[in-house]
Amino acid sequence: MKKNYCFVLSLFLFGTMLSSCEKSGNYQEFDRNEIYKHLSSVNVRDAKMIYTKEGARTRSGESGAFGGVWKIDQNGNESKLIITGSDGKTNIVNIFEITKLSDKFLLMIPDYYDTNRIWQEWENAHNDDPAQIGTSSEPHGAATEYAMLLNKNTEKLYRFPENLSKPDKNDNIFTDKQGNIYYKGYLKGEQVLKLSPETMTIEALLPDDIRFDNFSVTGDGFVVYWKGNEQQFNCRVKCPGGKIYPITDTYTFIFSGDLYSVRDNTIIKYETVGINDLKEKIICTIPEGNNYWAFTPNYVRNTVVINRNLEFDGEQCVKLDKYVNIGNIRTSKAWYILNNTMFSKTAMKDYQESQFQVSEYEIQSLSANSESSNIAFTGFRYSDGANVVGTITESDEVVINSIADNGNRIINLISLN
């Protein structure tokens, strides 16, 4: 087994200068800290939701200036997210994109237009040839080379390691009981990367040249990885201590942070032994057989629904009176399906179904997660075309949190709680 790698994230806040300009004749190489000195903290602590505003459109219909990233705080007030530099200056660099990694940490990427502008200004100040002096004309975009980790509680920014894969907002991101963050990346091939916020390190967990399609993580940090779309057929478990444990059962699933598998019609639990081994324990028999298994957590009843008509509570598996209608919009209290303007809802508490309609707004994007009972949405109001950010509460009430100018379309919504 080849040795894993560990990369240390800088613990310096960005008022700290880590290097100086290198000189070669009359030419000075650009100092990346010219960017970093403008990246120290972001006013995100009280944010309830975050979203990007598209710039107002011109008369010709083309998109205008980048609208920036905005927040709605716990009191319902809207304001722009502002980066403050170590020199106290604000808004020198704008945020282009934010991705939620965990309850505590966000991945923040500044706007390429602003970082390029600072680079161009620095070049002009250090260039003795007037003919070479230029101005920034780059489009807005993600300056991924200046990615930051943002601590939501302290509002401080930390430098992400250069030349290392960053979490993709479209991929699965997991956390364990200690708050470590796991994501799929690349380092000499596909990897599961573990970001430890307490020590600010990133560790590659799998041996080199491992091929896998997806993974999951137990509460104790045991990484389960497999080929194919489903968590099935010959999964492998990478123990924190280094041992790789093969599981040949048909399906595996994680419930309440623990790893289970289906063997014929039996549920097996894998209890952790220290940090380097697993011990099998037969839990119960499944009331009916099947060739395909689907597992959906129920956060209210603290159970997992299997194949929509079975329920497992960690000790026994029982057959439900009816099939549960499980939608792809999932909160901490219910499952939803949206069809045009109609929401179909199944309550996790008792599996009762209901419907409600959102008829006054055109919903364009939704954000829901297992940490909140609400659904956040963006769209526009039919009565006047105004762009809105809203919330659908557990009681099916529609609350409008913000109304934007007609030209400033709201996109990339992230619900934080």
Side-chain angles (χ1 to χ4, degrees), residues 185-253:
Y186 295 88
L187 180 69
K188 297 184 178 180
E190 294 177 320
Q191 268 291 350
V192 173
L193 298 176
K194 173 186 174 182
L195 193 164
S196 303
E198 294 300 322
T199 59
M200 283 299 171
T201 59
I202 292 182
E203 180 183 2
L205 298 180
L206 303 184
D208 294 342
D209 303 322
I210 289 290
R211 296 292 299 271
F212 69 101
D213 294 308
N214 217 327
F215 77 102
S216 189
V217 181
T218 72
D220 293 326
F222 286 69
V223 177
V224 188
Y225 61 97
W226 62 91
K227 292 182 180 179
N229 295 325
E230 302 293 336
Q231 193 169 330
Q232 57 177 312
F233 301 124
N234 296 321
C235 286
R236 300 290 184 264
V237 181
K238 172 64 185 302
C239 304
K243 181 178 179 180
I244 295 179
Y245 191 100
I247 297 179
T248 59
D249 294 340
T250 306
Y251 277 82
T252 62
F253 64 98

Side-chain angles (χ1 to χ4, degrees), residues 364-379:
Q364 296 178 305
S365 65
L366 291 170
S367 178
N369 58 66
S370 61
E371 299 157 11
S372 173
S373 60
N374 299 328
I375 299 174
F377 73 91
T378 67

Side-chain angles (χ1 to χ4, degrees), residues 14 35 61 71 82 94 100 117 149 166 190 224 237 260 266 275 284 292 295 324 335 353 361 364 366 376 378 391 403:
F14 293 101
I35 303 293
K71 71 175 181 180
I82 297 174
N94 283 299
K100 182 179 179 181
R117 172 181 49 78
L149 282 176
K166 299 164 183 65
E190 294 177 320
V224 188
V237 181
Y260 296 83
T266 301
I275 61 171
C284 65
Y292 176 83
F295 309 90
V324 179
W335 300 289
E353 298 181 21
Y361 305 94
Q364 296 178 305
L366 291 170
T378 67
T391 299
I403 302 175

Side-chain angles (χ1 to χ4, degrees), residues 329-343:
I329 303 170
R330 304 177 181 185
T331 70
S332 63
K333 297 294 181 66
W335 300 289
Y336 299 80
I337 297 173
L338 175 59
N339 185 10
N340 294 322
T341 61
M342 185 68 68
F343 280 87

